[in-house]
Amino acid sequence: MKGQKDFKGGAASGQGADMDKAFSQDSQKSLSSMLGKLIHLCFGLMMAGVLFICLFLQYIDYGRKGIEYKYDYVPNNILAVVLGGAAIVLIYLLLHLFLDKRSSKHESLFFVCLSLLLFLLQIKLVFSYYFFTDWDVNVLTRLYILKAETGPHVDAVIADYFSTYPNNLFLQWMLLTVSEIPSMLGIAGREYEAILIFLCLINQLICMLTFFLSRRLFVRRSLAWLSWLLCFLLVGLSPWTSIPYSDSVGLIFPMLFAFILYGLDAEKAAESSSMIEAEGAFAGSGRFGSCENSACFERFECFSKVRLHRTFMIVLLGLLAAMSYAVKPQAFIIVIAAILIKLTDTAEDIKNHKRHKFKTLIFAIILAAFGFFCGMQLCDRAGQSLGIEVDEEGTFGLTHYIMLGLNDREMGVYDQEDYDISHNAADREERREANLRTTAERLKRMGPVGLIKLFVRKTLTNFNDGNFCWGGEGVFYFKMRESDGGFLDELTRDIYYNRTMEGRYYKYYDFICQSVWMGVLLLCALNMLPAKKEGCFGRAVQAKSSEGISASGSLSQADISCLSSKPYKGFAGPTSKADMNLRISSVLLLSLIGLIVFETIFEARARYLYIYVPVFCIAAVMGLDKLMKRGHLND
């Protein structure tokens, strides 16, 4: 008993010392902390530059300028950013007043019920205004329409399209599979409606993931609700939900990847907690087999379950990464960002002589690579099952999209002449040489100044549209459905239809979206502000450490509830939650930096940002949180 008592006392003393040491370490000197601050600064500066271009250079010519309007009309961005920014701050203050000091006992249940109601409402809205569009979407819908009418059939148009863009094969398989669900249920002629319901489901899931991830990132509930509200306004109510293409389907991948990644970090904390407590229980018993109770064995059992679950989740992340790349290559940028942040953490661990973590990283890489390989095989097999013969020599490669992005004549957007250059090439090698030759000629002709001007115009194409160029593709309103004359049909068409079909209220809806989007860009720029620690991750935690750890060598239950995330019970030290938040915020912002660079180099399109809008919303709330903390407005 004496040995057991001495062990407990030593453990308590050691744990307290470790915690004091952890609290006293200057986090500013850690590589991860420095990188996180650098990422926040770089992202904030980039968004400040984007906002400056959108506010003061919006009237110059740029690709797809004003294409969504029937008349010569461009929203006033200065007015939009003032109204949008002020409205977002006001809404936050109201949410803070009514939510942060009230009980959150049934909050999750309420939110799920609200999301279900909004999902049903969204289906009703989409069914009232949807139509059939041209461009790539028409090809994707062509296959299951032909299949429904004449049985399995692939015509020349489909074969040529997928030879040129084979990356859409897996997307085609997904849409075709969903369209077959009604016939499996004995409902004929509802293929397109099934796809629309599927897109509405993805849309609402994204809004929910945005809320739940924000709920874990931010101490204040009001910030999580604000993230959800911004996402709902820009994505949940967006008419892009009615367009079955990679933008509306690929929307799910970045946020789902980030949510699972955060869960893995939380479970890693739980794993460390279970292992430490189990080792303490075994050591305290004097020998392995003489525990007076089963608590030590339960700890090891919990540790084993957590590790098994983490293994499965790492494989799932690899699988998800492969699927995201197959549906929308831009969605893979967040995977690259996560890998870079993880490598930085590992380099810091090695520097601090924690070489055992390098072995853990190697094991995780093997698991993720296995999941990625299985995912790529799944996507390839799914595409092959369509029975479409793809001519690999006709595929457009990376050089084609670089050539498009450097087309100063069309200001970085799609150009038929560029398409013809690539399409008329006999094989891949000839196409690559033609693309590189044309790209080199354009770079030489533009020079550094011309290249900067092109990048400014492309920035406007990408960012200066809160509706993400809705209506700006091909013959957008290709085949219209007859209205039933009902109130909802007429109202939604007056709100969402634009260009030659422009409704009475579209300008007002568009300005609201533009104002919200400009407000989001403004708040994103605030990420350049230095962080000021507050709440459970800042002054409150340091105050606890200065008071000392209790005699038992552990924090109080209130501290643990503050520092641990709700769905993942476990605690790996007083800074674990702050570290997790720093890592995931760095991943999110780094992915947005990568997206901006990607769209600056390659073909410009506002809708290419659409799948990252929920991430932009969270980044905006991060900036607002910094502003509020520095101004003590949260108090």
Side-chain angles (χ1 to χ4, degrees):
M1 293 297 292
K2 182 179 179 180
Q4 184 174 352
K5 180 179 180 181
D6 291 342
F7 172 81
K8 289 182 178 179
S13 175
Q15 188 180 0
D18 289 342
M19 288 183 177
D20 286 335
K21 182 179 179 181
F23 278 125
S24 64
Q25 286 179 341
D26 185 3
S27 60
Q28 295 180 352
K29 296 181 180 179
S30 71
L31 182 61
S32 298
S33 178
M34 291 172 59
L35 179 63
K37 292 177 181 178
L38 180 61
I39 290 173
H40 278 72
L41 176 62
C42 290
F43 175 73
L45 290 174
M46 291 179 76
M47 295 311 300
V50 167
L51 186 64
F52 177 85
I53 292 172
C54 290
L55 292 180
F56 301 108
L57 300 177
Q58 71 171 122
Y59 295 105
I60 68 174
D61 288 333
Y62 57 90
R64 303 285 166 171
K65 179 182 179 180
I67 194 173
E68 65 266 38
Y69 305 113
K70 183 177 181 180
Y71 308 103
D72 185 16
Y73 162 76
V74 177
N76 186 327
N77 281 346
I78 295 179
L79 178 61
V81 74
V82 171
L83 293 179
I88 292 173
V89 172
L90 178 61
I91 290 171
Y92 164 70
L93 293 176
L94 292 174
L95 290 172
H96 173 59
L97 179 65
F98 288 103
L99 288 179
D100 289 333
K101 297 182 180 180
R102 298 176 185 271
S103 172
S104 60
K105 184 177 180 181
H106 301 295
E107 181 182 51
S108 296
L109 177 61
F110 171 78
F111 178 74
V112 171
C113 293
L114 175 64
S115 299
L116 179 60
L117 290 175
L118 292 175
F119 170 59
L120 298 176
L121 175 62
Q122 188 177 44
I123 293 174
K124 182 65 176 176
L125 292 176
V126 169
F127 277 22
S128 66
Y129 70 81
Y130 83 88
F131 53 90
F132 300 95
T133 188
D134 192 18
W135 50 291
D136 300 61
V137 179
N138 187 40
V139 180
L140 293 176
T141 57
R142 185 184 184 94
L143 183 59
Y144 64 75
I145 290 175
L146 287 174
K147 184 174 181 180
E149 293 176 352
T150 64
H153 177 68
V154 176
D155 61 10
V157 174
I158 294 174
D160 182 67
Y161 174 82
F162 285 110
S163 293
T164 305
Y165 307 111
N167 56 298
N168 280 336
L169 279 169
F170 180 64
L171 174 64
Q172 175 69 90
W173 176 83
M174 290 180 66
L175 296 177
L176 186 62
T177 302
V178 173
S179 70
E180 292 175 346
I181 294 177
S183 61
M184 294 170 58
L185 299 175
I187 305 173
R190 295 294 182 180
E191 293 82 8
Y192 201 82
E193 286 80 357
I195 292 176
L196 294 178
I197 294 174
F198 173 65
L199 298 180
C200 291
L201 177 62
I202 289 177
N203 197 283
Q204 284 304 316
L205 285 175
I206 279 299
C207 293
M208 293 179 69
L209 287 174
T210 302
F211 174 80
F212 285 119
L213 181 59
S214 300
R215 191 69 179 86
R216 288 146 183 76
L217 281 174
F218 304 113
V219 179
R220 299 182 184 277
R221 295 157 53 206
S222 54
L223 293 173
W225 280 98
L226 181 62
S227 298
W228 170 81
L229 181 60
L230 294 176
C231 183
F232 180 73
L233 291 174
L234 292 174
V235 176
L237 294 177
S238 173
W240 280 111
T241 308
S242 66
I243 305 298
Y245 195 51
S246 57
D247 308 288
S248 50
V249 176
L251 189 66
I252 189 71
F253 293 109
M255 190 56 63
L256 181 58
F257 187 90
F259 187 79
I260 295 176
L261 193 66
Y262 188 89
L264 277 173
D265 268 359
E267 289 195 343
K268 185 176 180 180
E271 178 184 333
S272 300
S273 175
S274 298
M275 189 63 184
I276 291 171
E277 292 180 15
E279 287 177 348
F282 278 128
S285 67
R287 64 180 189 274
F288 186 86
S290 61
C291 284
E292 296 178 358
N293 55 60
S294 60
C296 50
F297 297 107
E298 291 176 358
R299 294 295 182 189
F300 266 115
E301 184 179 0
C302 176
F303 164 74
S304 301
K305 289 181 179 179
V306 168
R307 171 160 289 187
L308 180 62
H309 189 256
R310 287 189 66 239
T311 299
F312 170 75
M313 298 304 286
I314 292 173
V315 175
L316 179 61
L317 277 181
L319 181 67
L320 192 65
M323 295 175 65
S324 66
Y325 182 78
V327 172
K328 193 76 171 178
Q330 288 93 328
F332 194 75
I333 294 174
I334 195 171
V335 180
I336 299 174
I339 292 173
L340 293 176
I341 296 299
K342 184 61 181 176
L343 289 176
T344 304
D345 290 342
T346 304
E348 185 174 11
D349 289 335
I350 294 175
K351 180 182 176 181
N352 295 332
H353 306 291
K354 299 178 181 178
R355 299 184 181 274
H356 64 282
K357 292 195 174 183
F358 182 71
K359 297 180 181 179
T360 305
L361 174 65
I362 295 298
F363 182 65
I365 290 175
I366 293 173
L367 290 174
F370 173 74
F372 186 81
F373 174 78
C374 292
M376 292 301 294
Q377 291 297 312
L378 173 65
C379 295
D380 289 342
R381 297 294 176 85
Q384 292 172 9
S385 68
L386 297 174
I388 301 174
E389 293 186 9
V390 175
D391 179 12
E392 296 183 356
E393 292 299 322
T395 301
F396 287 5
L398 193 67
T399 54
H400 168 78
Y401 298 100
I402 296 177
M403 179 182 67
L404 275 180
L406 295 176
N407 187 331
D408 53 327
R409 184 183 66 255
E410 294 296 328
M411 293 172 282
V413 300
Y414 176 85
D415 179 41
Q416 185 61 39
E417 290 186 17
D418 282 358
Y419 175 86
D420 293 338
I421 290 174
S422 296
H423 192 263
N424 294 335
D427 52 34
R428 282 186 172 183
E429 185 60 28
E430 182 180 327
R431 182 177 301 107
R432 187 182 69 85
E433 292 177 359
N435 294 157
L436 292 176
R437 183 172 58 253
T438 305
T439 300
E441 292 172 356
R442 289 171 178 174
L443 287 172
K444 184 178 180 180
R445 182 177 66 252
M446 285 187 292
V449 176
L451 189 62
I452 292 174
K453 289 181 179 179
L454 175 62
F455 287 164
V456 169
R457 298 182 195 277
K458 291 180 69 175
T459 299
L460 287 167
T461 299
N462 289 326
F463 284 93
N464 194 33
D465 193 342
N467 260 324
F468 310 101
C469 203
W470 167 250
E473 301 287 349
V475 184
F476 201 73
Y477 297 96
F478 180 61
K479 183 179 179 182
M480 307 304 297
R481 295 182 308 109
E482 290 292 332
S483 172
D484 63 4
F487 170 77
L488 198 57
D489 270 35
E490 297 299 324
L491 177 63
T492 53
R493 294 173 189 224
D494 276 337
I495 292 175
Y496 289 127
Y497 283 9
N498 59 3
R499 291 178 74 170
T500 57
M501 305 289 296
E502 187 164 316
R504 289 180 294 174
Y505 310 124
Y506 177 75
K507 283 186 180 180
Y508 306 108
Y509 166 71
D510 180 75
F511 185 75
I512 291 173
C513 291
Q514 188 75 359
S515 299
V516 174
W517 179 237
M518 288 295 113
V520 166
L521 297 184
L522 173 65
L523 295 178
C524 283
L526 296 180
N527 279 281
M528 72 173 75
L529 297 174
K532 187 173 183 180
K533 295 181 179 179
E534 280 194 21
C536 98
F537 307 136
R539 292 195 301 260
V541 175
Q542 293 172 353
K544 284 289 182 184
S545 67
S546 63
E547 293 170 4
I549 308 298
S550 63
S552 63
S554 61
L555 295 176
S556 68
Q557 186 61 37
D559 300 325
I560 293 177
S561 64
C562 177
L563 288 162
S564 62
S565 56
K566 288 190 173 184
Y568 304 102
K569 304 301 180 183
F571 182 66
T575 60
S576 60
K577 182 65 182 283
D579 290 341
M580 286 190 292
N581 287 355
L582 177 63
R583 278 194 294 272
I584 196 63
S585 65
S586 297
V587 169
L588 293 176
L589 297 190
L590 186 58
S591 69
L592 295 181
I593 292 173
L595 178 69
I596 295 171
V597 173
F598 186 95
E599 299 304 332
T600 302
I601 296 174
F602 298 101
E603 180 188 4
R605 267 299 195 275
R607 66 178 173 84
Y608 292 166
L609 302 182
Y610 182 68
I611 63 172
Y612 279 92
V613 170
V615 183
F616 275 107
C617 293
I618 292 179
V621 175
M622 289 180 189
L624 178 63
D625 191 32
K626 284 187 175 183
L627 177 66
M628 293 297 162
K629 286 177 179 178
R630 298 197 67 81
H632 300 287
L633 297 179
N634 282 332
D635 299 333

